[in-house]
């Protein structure tokens, strides 16, 4: 039975085709490719690939189901692409804009919930992106697949009921229409076709790819459930005694049960008294009182069941001293560890509280002496079958468990759980995801919801919570679940998640080196990469991987990790290499979607910088699972408080070819802008109101253009003032946004139907954003210093960057704007504002004394020609100050002006003076560099050029 379960899962029904070959059965297919993989594993160069996991040949082969899944770099990626994909055709017409709408997709989904993981995107959310960017049969790639939700989503694109449940309309021919928000109503637009996409999913973690494969393997859930039922029944018969507890015992029954425990190997407590079946056990830490050295059971003194909470302060039961958990030391003891063949020191935990079922009803009890003795008996016996007893690697998350004596993987389990899980594994079941899903639930990390224990006293049975995400934390009150009940629970959950699928290929390797995937062969990329120090995947996955005997190669792990010696710069460089591979394999003109979920500005900048350094161009940022973010939320790094979706594209071959021919000229700069504007959404609407399209802001366009030239190691052919001046002549501006002539008609139509113009929000955090805010403010309302000052002061508050000097308002106005001194005609901008907003000034000529008196001393935004002169004057001043920075020390640069640094870095880059950029960058506080995308871009490229010239 075991071999049959492991091999086919009920789908082995005759000849099968695979990568252009035909086999008499699926077993024959697997045997053929396993033999080829075994030969590959013996090649030193194959094992030398970056990110190759740590594991023996036998362990890798036992996990793998080639060519569809290998627990190592998959040798058949190229064959998969050639079999199912299409070659890039520069003449192919592909015109898709970014998916600009926010996605609010819940997590109450059978596929999403079948197997836990540290972070994942609901597959139905990914379906929306796939329908926007791809057609049936397209090959999509996910380089940080986690549980393989992109693969599942690729299959769901063929499910009419799923697509329709997402709000799409599907006609009889399989054409899919989306109802889009439009000003004045909603309209249906054709977006795609019904049909599966082909997915390549990859992760560095063997645990992640193992789960991904199980989600995406072709399996008959009914067959699997029927086949595994005899084994579950066998486990019940063999280990049911471990989950017995006496129901309302009398003293004689306690004595009889104690005698049975001491005399029988597999005791049956029902011969001593009435027994219930345990649902879960709450284990409690034991502490030592610092005053009297008495033993304290945390459950007994700290849990207030009546009110459902854990007390911060409590009394020692021996000496009545007032205590708190923080000033207690855990009680430690030494016992023999049969797996390690040595004595180990660990903290003491005892069963304290038990939820059990008797006669069809749930009951609760304080653990009695029999419950404690039973637990000790099980803990003192060695499981019959193999179980993982690997040492924990030193890491950022493993320090706390190691300090408490949890030094090896098996220490995370009670004797009960370890015995039953090892039994399941001996029959091959831990190679199936329903039983892999048991792992976190079966550990001591499972915690109790003390806040809900009060309800449990009223017969509701209590409630457990789960593992604290992103940690290896074993709480002082941990929950031991009935593993056999959980096995059935996970099997039931997976029976709803499995479905028939078209081929998906899974590989285990680093996304920094995807050599098996041909250039320009992928139609779309969706990735949810690690973000800085958010999660330590290799450490957290070690418990899963222990059962699999194959571990993550953490040297290629793209994270910030003190133990691994990886700083933010290391993380950024690894991510830049990953995005470089995404750029290489993606077809020109196609899209990549990157989910971002980190609130640190430095990490946000690192990701954006890595994307641009690879050659991808950002076209849109929108929200996932939350309401649409403002201009502030999606552009200002210090305010990223939600999951964001970054839409980026690979420029088409025509643009790149024209650049290669012409080089860095003003024509190629405007060629890039022209091409980029085509990729941007013309409008975004919500609730009848137009949203401001951030990427159409002239300042953002200039930044994107700079990044594109720097990525090509070319000088930027336009200054900021030249760019802004010429932009208005070449394109059309509406409400602060830039459009192509052929786009503006659509915008004007929707603008005419909108209740109000789109509003741009600016968050003032440094000198540049202060100037931008003043520009917008004065353009709408030319004002005197006294009028501007109160509002400006309110903005320049807590959000100001720590290491950025705060400028004087008077200096900002003097350097960047013009003031009407009362001489000559009133400037048109001021005249328009005054005549519109003051009734007594309407209809007056520009030279009228009354108008001039009201206009005197008002600051306003200069027209492009005068702004150019001001900008040149200001830049000369900035560069003069930058010269002083060259001789300054670190202490003197603790605070600096970002505008000075940006101007200086830009000028040094143009002169190929990379040494100056690097030298000054090394004097700056880390936050100054890491939290400014522009400085980071110049610095990174200067390092790259220096290394290339060395």
């Amino acid at each position: 039975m075991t071999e049959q379960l492991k091999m086919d899962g009920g789908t082995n029904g005759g000849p099968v085709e695979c990568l252009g070959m035909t086999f008499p059965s699926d077993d024959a297919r697997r045997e053929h490719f396993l033999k080829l993989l075994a030969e590959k594993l013996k090649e030193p160069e194959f094992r030398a690939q970056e990110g190759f996991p740590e594991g023996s040949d036998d362990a890798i082969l036992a996990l793998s189901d080639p060519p569809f899944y290998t627990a190592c770099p998959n040798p058949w990626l190229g064959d998969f692409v050639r079999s199912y994909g299409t070659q890039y055709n520069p003449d192919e017409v592909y015109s898709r804009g970014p998916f600009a709408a926010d996605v609010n997709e819940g997590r109450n989904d059978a596929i999403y919930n079948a197997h836990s993981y540290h972070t994942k995107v609901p597959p139905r959310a990914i379906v929306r992106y796939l329908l926007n960017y791809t057609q049936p049969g397209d090959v999509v790639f996910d380089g940080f697949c986690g549980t393989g939700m992109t693969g599942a989503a690729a299959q769901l694109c063929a499910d009419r009921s799923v697509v329709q449940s997402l709000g799409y309309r599907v006609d009889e021919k399989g054409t899919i229409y989306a109802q889009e928000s439009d000003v004045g109503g909603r309209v249906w637009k054709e977006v795609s076709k019904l049909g599966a996409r082909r997915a390549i999913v990859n992760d560095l973690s063997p645990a992640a790819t193992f789960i991904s494969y199980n989600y995406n393997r072709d399996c008959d859930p009914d067959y699997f459930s029927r086949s595994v039922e005899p084994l579950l029944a066998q486990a019940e018969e063999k280990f049911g005694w471990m989950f017995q507890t006496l129901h309302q015992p009398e003293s004689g029954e306690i004595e009889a049960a104690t005698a049975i425990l001491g005399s029988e190997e597999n005791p049956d407590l029902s011969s001593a008294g009435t027994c219930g079946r345990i649902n879960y056990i709450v284990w409690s830490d034991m502490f030592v009182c610092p005053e009297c050295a008495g033993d304290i059971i945390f459950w007994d003194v700290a849990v207030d069941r009546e009110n459902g909470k854990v007390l911060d302060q409590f009394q020692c039961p021996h000496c009545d001293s007032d205590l708190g958990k923080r000033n207690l030391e855990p009680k430690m003891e030494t016992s023999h560890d049969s797996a390690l063949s040595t004595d180990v020191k660990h903290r003491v935990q005892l069963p304290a509280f038990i939820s059990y079922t008797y006669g069809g009803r749930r009951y609760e009890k304080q653990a009695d002496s029999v419950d404690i003795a039973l637990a000790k008996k099980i803990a003192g016996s060695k499981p019959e079958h193999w179980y993982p007893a690997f040492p924990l690697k030193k890491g950022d998350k493993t320090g706390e468990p190691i300090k408490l004596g949890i030094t090896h993987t098996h220490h995370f389990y009670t004797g009960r759980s370890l015995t039953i899980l090892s039994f399941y594994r001996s029959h091959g079941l831990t190679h199936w995801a329903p039983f892999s899903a048991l792992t976190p639930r079966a550990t001591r990390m499972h915690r109790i919801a003390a806040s809900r224990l009060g309800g449990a006293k009223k017969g509701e049975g209590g409630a457990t919570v789960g593992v604290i995400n992103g940690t290896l934390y074993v709480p002082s009150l941990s929950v031991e679940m009935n593993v056999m009940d959980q096995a059935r629970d996970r099997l039931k959950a997976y029976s709803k998640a499995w479905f028939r699928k078209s081929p998906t290929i899974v590989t285990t390797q680093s996304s920094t080196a995807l050599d098996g995937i041909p250039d320009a062969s992928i139609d779309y990329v969706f990735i949810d990469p690690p973000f800085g120090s958010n999660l330590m995947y290799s450490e957290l996955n070690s418990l899963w991987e222990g059962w699999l005997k194959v571990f993550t190669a953490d040297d290629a792990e793209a994270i910030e990790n003190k133990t691994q010696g990886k700083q933010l710069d290391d993380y950024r460089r690894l991510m830049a290499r990953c995005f470089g591979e995404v750029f290489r394999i993606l077809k020109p003109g196609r899209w990549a979607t990157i989910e971002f979920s980190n609130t640190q500005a430095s990490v946000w900048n690192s990701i954006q910088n890595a994307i641009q350094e690879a050659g991808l161009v950002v076209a849109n940022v929108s929200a996932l699972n939350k309401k649409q973010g403002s201009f502030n939320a999606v552009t200002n790094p210090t305010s990223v408080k939600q999951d964001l979706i970054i839409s980026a594209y690979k420029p088409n071959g025509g643009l790149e070819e024209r650049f290669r021919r012409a080089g860095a000229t003003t024509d190629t700069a405007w060629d890039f802008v022209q091409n980029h504007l085509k990729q941007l959404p013309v409008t975004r609407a919500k609730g009848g109101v137009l949203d401001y399209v951030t990427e159409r802001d002239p300042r953002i366009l200039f930044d994107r253009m700079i990044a594109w030239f720097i990525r090509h190691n070319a000088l930027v052919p336009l200054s900021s003032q030249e760019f802004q001046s010429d932009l208005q002549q070449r394109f059309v501006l509406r409400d602060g946004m830039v459009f192509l002539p052929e786009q503006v008609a659509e915008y004007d139509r929707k603008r005419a139907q909108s209740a109000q113009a789109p509003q741009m929000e600016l968050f003032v955090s440094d000198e540049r954003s202060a100037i931008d805010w003043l520009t917008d403010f004065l353009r709408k309302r030319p004002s005197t210093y006294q009028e501007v000052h109160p509002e400006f002061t309110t903005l320049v508050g807590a959000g100001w960057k720590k290491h950025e000097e705060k400028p004087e308002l008077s200096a900002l106005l003097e350097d960047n704007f013009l003031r009407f001194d009362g001489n000559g005609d009133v400037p048109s901008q001021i005249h328009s504002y005054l005549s519109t907003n003051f009734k007594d000034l309407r209809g007056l000529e520009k030279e009228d004394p009354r108008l001039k008196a009201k206009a005197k001393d008002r600051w306003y935004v200069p027209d492009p020609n005068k702004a150019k002169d001001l900008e040149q004057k200001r830049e000369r001043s900035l560069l003069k100050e930058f010269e002083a920075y060259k001789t300054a020390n670190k202490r003197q640069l603790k605070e600096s002006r970002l505008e000075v640094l940006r101007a200086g870095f830009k000028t040094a880059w143009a002169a190929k003076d990379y040494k100056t950029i690097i030298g000054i960058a090394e004097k700056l506080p880390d936050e100054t560099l890491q939290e400014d995308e522009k400085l980071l871009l110049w610095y990174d490229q200067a390092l790259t050029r220096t290394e290339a010239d060395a």
Side-chain angles (χ1 to χ4, degrees):
M1 180 191 72
T2 302
E3 187 67 15
Q4 188 181 24
L5 274 176
K6 187 176 178 181
M7 287 296 145
D8 57 57
T11 64
N12 191 10
V16 296
E17 290 188 10
C18 178
L19 301 184
M21 294 176 279
T22 302
F23 299 91
S25 68
D26 206 41
D27 282 343
R29 180 270 306 169
R30 185 179 289 104
E31 181 180 357
H32 170 78
F33 285 105
L34 277 173
K35 183 178 179 181
L36 294 177
L37 182 59
E39 293 171 358
K40 270 284 185 186
L41 288 169
K42 291 180 171 57
E43 299 175 6
E45 61 273 18
F46 181 69
R47 273 189 164 272
Q49 293 182 78
E50 189 165 1
F52 198 98
E54 301 171 9
S56 67
D57 289 8
D58 288 343
I60 291 172
L61 290 170
L63 277 183
S64 300
D65 180 18
F68 301 120
Y69 164 52
T70 59
C72 64
N74 197 317
W76 293 280
L77 295 178
D79 296 327
F80 182 87
V81 171
R82 285 183 284 272
S83 295
Y84 297 112
T86 57
Q87 288 186 336
Y88 168 62
N89 178 8
D91 297 326
E92 176 189 6
V93 177
Y94 177 86
S95 179
R96 300 293 178 94
F99 190 89
D102 295 338
V103 173
N104 186 6
E105 191 62 51
R107 300 176 181 182
N108 187 24
D109 179 90
I111 298 174
Y112 184 93
N113 291 319
H115 201 299
S116 64
Y117 199 66
H118 322 297
T119 177
K120 53 184 173 180
V121 180
R124 289 170 179 260
I126 304 174
V127 167
R128 298 178 186 275
Y129 298 103
L130 290 172
L131 294 180
N132 182 73
Y133 294 112
T134 67
Q135 292 290 343
D138 279 359
V139 178
V140 302
F141 173 75
D142 184 347
F144 302 91
C145 67
T147 56
M149 293 296 96
T150 299
Q155 312 304 326
L156 291 177
C157 289
D159 191 319
R160 181 184 292 266
S161 63
V162 169
V163 172
Q164 290 177 331
S165 73
L166 295 175
Y168 294 93
R169 191 174 70 190
V170 185
D171 66 18
E172 65 282 357
K173 296 181 180 179
T175 303
I176 301 172
Y177 301 86
Q179 192 178 34
E180 297 182 356
S181 294
D182 196 3
V183 178
R186 298 177 69 85
V187 295
W188 289 97
K189 290 185 178 180
E190 180 180 338
V191 293
S192 192
K193 298 284 186 181
L194 198 67
R197 280 63 171 160
R198 312 290 189 181
I200 300 175
V201 296
N202 168 63
D203 204 287
L204 189 68
S205 165
T209 57
F210 165 76
I211 299 168
S212 296
Y213 165 65
N214 273 274
Y215 260 121
N216 289 281
R217 74 193 305 173
D218 194 4
C219 178
D220 181 342
D222 293 334
Y223 169 86
F224 182 80
S225 297
R226 291 194 306 270
S227 300
V228 80
E229 181 57 40
L231 183 61
L232 299 182
Q234 184 182 346
E236 291 279 0
E237 182 179 353
K238 189 177 180 67
F239 304 112
W241 63 272
M242 292 185 175
F243 291 94
Q244 289 182 322
T245 187
L246 293 175
H247 174 59
Q248 300 174 352
E250 298 179 356
S251 58
E253 293 174 329
I254 294 285
E255 293 173 359
T258 302
I260 292 172
L261 288 175
S263 61
E264 297 182 16
E265 183 178 351
N266 299 328
D268 183 1
L269 298 183
S270 63
S271 59
T274 304
C275 286
R277 174 188 168 86
I278 294 174
N279 303 314
Y280 65 82
I281 303 169
V282 178
W283 288 70
S284 172
D285 272 357
M286 185 176 283
F287 294 97
V288 178
C289 176
E291 300 299 329
C292 69
D295 291 344
I296 299 173
I297 299 175
F298 189 65
W299 172 273
D300 292 345
V301 299
V303 175
D304 177 2
R305 291 203 63 214
E306 188 66 34
N307 297 300
K309 64 180 181 179
V310 177
L311 304 175
D312 294 326
Q313 298 292 321
F314 42 83
Q315 288 184 320
C316 172
H318 308 294
C319 67
D320 294 332
S321 297
D322 291 329
L323 303 171
K325 184 181 175 184
R326 290 186 177 182
N327 57 3
L328 293 178
E329 288 294 327
K331 182 178 178 63
M332 306 293 286
E333 69 177 5
T334 300
S335 61
H336 186 74
D337 189 325
S338 57
L340 305 180
S341 300
T342 187
D343 291 342
V344 297
K345 188 176 182 180
H346 57 88
R347 69 175 173 176
V348 178
Q349 278 194 321
L350 294 175
F353 172 82
I354 295 176
S355 167
Y356 66 99
T357 299
Y358 172 71
R361 293 183 59 189
R362 294 177 70 97
Y363 294 87
E364 296 164 355
K365 59 182 278 191
Q366 293 289 116
D368 55 38
S369 60
V370 175
D371 298 316
I372 295 172
L374 177 60
K376 287 183 176 180
K377 181 180 182 69
I378 297 169
S381 62
K382 184 177 181 179
E384 179 182 352
H385 305 286
W386 180 90
Y387 56 89
F390 299 101
L392 296 185
K393 291 183 178 180
K394 288 185 177 180
D396 287 8
K397 295 299 180 183
T398 58
E400 184 172 2
I402 289 174
K403 182 176 66 175
L404 296 172
I406 303 174
T407 60
H408 290 68
T409 52
H410 64 296
H411 293 157
F412 281 93
Y413 304 90
T414 65
R416 245 180 299 247
S417 296
L418 202 59
T419 297
I420 297 170
L421 287 175
S422 66
F423 171 78
Y424 287 152
R425 189 189 186 283
S426 71
H427 290 76
L429 290 185
T430 50
H431 282 48
W432 285 80
F435 298 90
S436 164
L438 288 178
T439 304
R441 293 165 175 257
T443 67
R444 294 179 183 269
M445 295 187 293
H446 205 119
R447 60 195 174 105
I448 188 74
S451 62
R452 295 163 70 178
L453 284 173
K457 291 186 68 177
K458 300 177 178 63
E460 297 177 7
T464 60
V465 182
V467 178
I468 298 177
N469 192 39
T471 73
L472 291 174
Y473 173 68
V474 178
S476 291
L477 298 173
S478 64
V479 180
E480 178 186 6
M481 304 298 294
N482 185 321
V483 180
M484 294 185 291
D485 288 347
Q486 289 297 302
R488 293 184 183 280
D489 176 79
R490 288 301 88 196
L491 185 59
K492 182 179 179 181
Y494 253 92
S495 68
K496 300 175 182 178
W498 267 328
F499 51 92
R500 296 279 180 174
K501 306 171 181 71
S502 59
T504 294
I505 194 166
V506 184
T507 180
T508 311
Q509 62 190 92
S510 173
S511 283
T512 58
L514 302 169
D515 298 340
I517 303 179
D519 295 355
S521 62
I522 301 298
D523 296 294
Y524 172 64
V525 172
F526 183 96
I527 52 176
D528 178 14
F531 291 101
S533 58
N534 269 19
L535 292 164
M536 305 294 113
Y537 292 93
S538 62
E539 297 174 30
L540 301 173
N541 288 350
S542 61
L543 298 186
W544 274 312
E545 293 171 356
W547 290 101
L548 304 177
K549 293 187 176 181
V550 187
F551 293 88
T552 300
D554 59 19
D555 57 331
E557 191 174 15
I559 57 173
E560 287 182 80
N561 187 290
K562 294 178 182 177
T563 308
Q564 294 181 20
K566 290 177 181 172
Q567 305 301 319
L568 187 59
D569 273 346
D570 302 297
Y571 164 75
R572 184 172 66 252
R573 289 175 182 277
L574 284 166
M575 286 309 307
R577 292 179 60 198
C578 293
F579 285 124
E581 283 293 85
V582 167
F583 182 87
R584 179 184 66 80
I585 66 177
L586 193 62
K587 290 178 179 177
R590 297 300 185 111
W591 290 85
T593 298
I594 305 104
E595 187 196 0
F596 176 85
S597 52
N598 188 300
T599 60
Q600 287 184 294
S602 56
V603 179
W604 169 252
N605 286 330
S606 291
I607 284 291
Q608 287 208 101
N609 193 57
I611 291 170
Q612 293 178 136
E613 185 178 330
L616 298 168
V617 184
V618 175
N620 187 70
V621 182
S622 55
L624 175 65
N625 289 335
K626 295 184 179 179
K627 294 182 179 180
Q628 169 65 36
S630 64
F631 180 92
N632 166 20
V634 298
T635 61
N636 180 51
T638 62
S639 64
V640 179
K641 305 295 184 185
Q642 55 188 323
D643 287 359
L644 300 177
I645 289 291
I646 305 169
S647 300
Y649 63 91
K650 179 178 179 176
N652 63 42
L655 178 67
E656 294 287 342
E657 179 59 32
R658 291 191 295 274
F659 179 82
R660 278 192 289 271
R661 288 199 309 265
T665 66
T666 55
D667 286 341
T668 53
W670 294 118
D671 190 11
F672 168 81
V673 175
Q674 177 96 9
N675 184 79
H676 185 54
L677 288 171
K678 291 179 182 178
Q679 310 296 331
L680 306 181
V682 175
T683 61
R684 282 199 300 250
K686 182 175 291 185
V689 178
L690 287 180
D691 282 341
Y692 188 85
V693 181
T694 305
E695 288 294 329
R696 291 189 176 275
D697 187 289
R699 294 159 293 195
I700 302 296
L701 288 173
F702 183 64
D703 289 345
R704 298 292 180 232
M705 187 268 292
I706 287 177
W708 192 71
F709 274 92
I710 292 175
R711 190 261 169 185
H712 286 80
N713 192 25
L715 298 180
V716 180
L718 290 168
S719 67
S720 174
Q721 58 269 28
E722 290 171 333
F723 181 85
Q724 301 299 338
S725 176
D726 291 356
L727 193 71
Q728 299 183 44
Q729 299 178 28
R730 293 174 175 269
F731 305 103
V732 183
L733 268 71
R734 291 286 192 274
D735 299 320
M737 296 176 287
V738 182
F739 296 91
L740 295 172
E742 59 268 26
Q743 295 172 332
V744 78
E746 179 184 349
Y747 179 80
D748 286 344
R749 178 178 62 82
K750 294 185 178 181
R751 171 65 184 87
Q753 299 170 338
S754 178
Q756 62 185 60
Q759 299 298 309
M760 175 181 64
E761 297 180 40
L762 281 172
F763 183 82
V764 177
S765 62
D766 58 21
E767 186 174 341
R768 181 69 262 166
S769 55
I771 295 170
D772 291 341
W773 181 85
L774 284 169
T775 301
D776 290 328
F777 182 88
L778 295 176
R779 182 177 286 120
K780 298 173 185 173
R781 179 181 155 193
S783 304
T784 64
Y785 177 89
Q786 289 75 16
E787 291 171 335
V788 177
H789 186 265
E791 298 201 40
F792 181 78
T793 303
T794 301
L795 286 172
V796 184
W800 195 264
K801 291 181 178 177
K802 180 179 178 182
H803 298 283
E804 165 83 340
E805 288 183 10
K806 287 186 179 180
E808 292 291 337
L809 174 59
S810 56
L812 289 179
L813 292 171
E814 190 69 38
D815 290 345
N816 300 278
F817 304 96
L818 297 177
R819 181 177 62 87
F820 178 59
D821 60 6
N823 295 316
D825 292 348
V826 174
S828 297
Q829 188 183 140
I830 301 178
H831 176 259
S832 176
Y833 168 72
L834 294 178
S835 61
T836 302
N837 292 277
F838 296 88
K839 291 182 178 180
D840 58 330
L841 300 179
R842 289 177 184 171
L844 299 181
E845 298 297 330
K846 292 181 180 181
E847 66 273 12
D848 190 287
R850 290 170 293 172
L851 187 68
K852 292 171 71 173
K854 191 70 173 178
K856 191 174 185 300
D857 292 329
R858 290 184 181 271
W859 292 92
Y860 63 99
V861 179
D863 63 41
N865 291 328
K866 293 180 180 178
K868 184 175 179 180
D869 294 337
L870 271 177
E871 186 71 22
Q872 289 174 344
K873 175 186 173 183
R874 180 170 179 269
E875 186 163 328
R876 286 193 297 270
S877 175
L878 293 173
L879 291 176
K880 183 177 180 180
E881 190 171 341
F882 183 74
E883 287 299 313
Y885 284 13
K886 292 181 181 180
T887 57
N889 56 37
K890 286 188 176 183
R891 181 182 58 79
Q892 292 170 318
L893 287 183
K894 187 176 181 179
E895 279 195 350
S896 55
R897 289 179 63 192
L898 287 178
E899 287 300 283
V900 171
L901 293 169
R902 290 167 181 164
F905 278 23
K906 177 185 173 184
T907 301
W909 171 267
K912 297 186 178 181
D913 183 6
Y914 310 131
K915 183 178 178 181
T916 291
I917 295 174
I918 296 170
I920 290 183
E922 290 174 348
K923 299 177 185 178
L924 298 171
D926 289 342
E927 294 88 345
T928 301
L929 191 65
Q930 303 292 356
E931 295 185 3
D932 189 82
E933 180 188 350
K934 298 178 181 67
L935 293 184
L936 201 55
L937 181 64
W938 298 118
Y939 173 65
D940 254 3
Q941 291 301 310
L943 284 176
T944 301
R945 299 282 79 80
T946 302
E947 291 167 0
D949 295 340

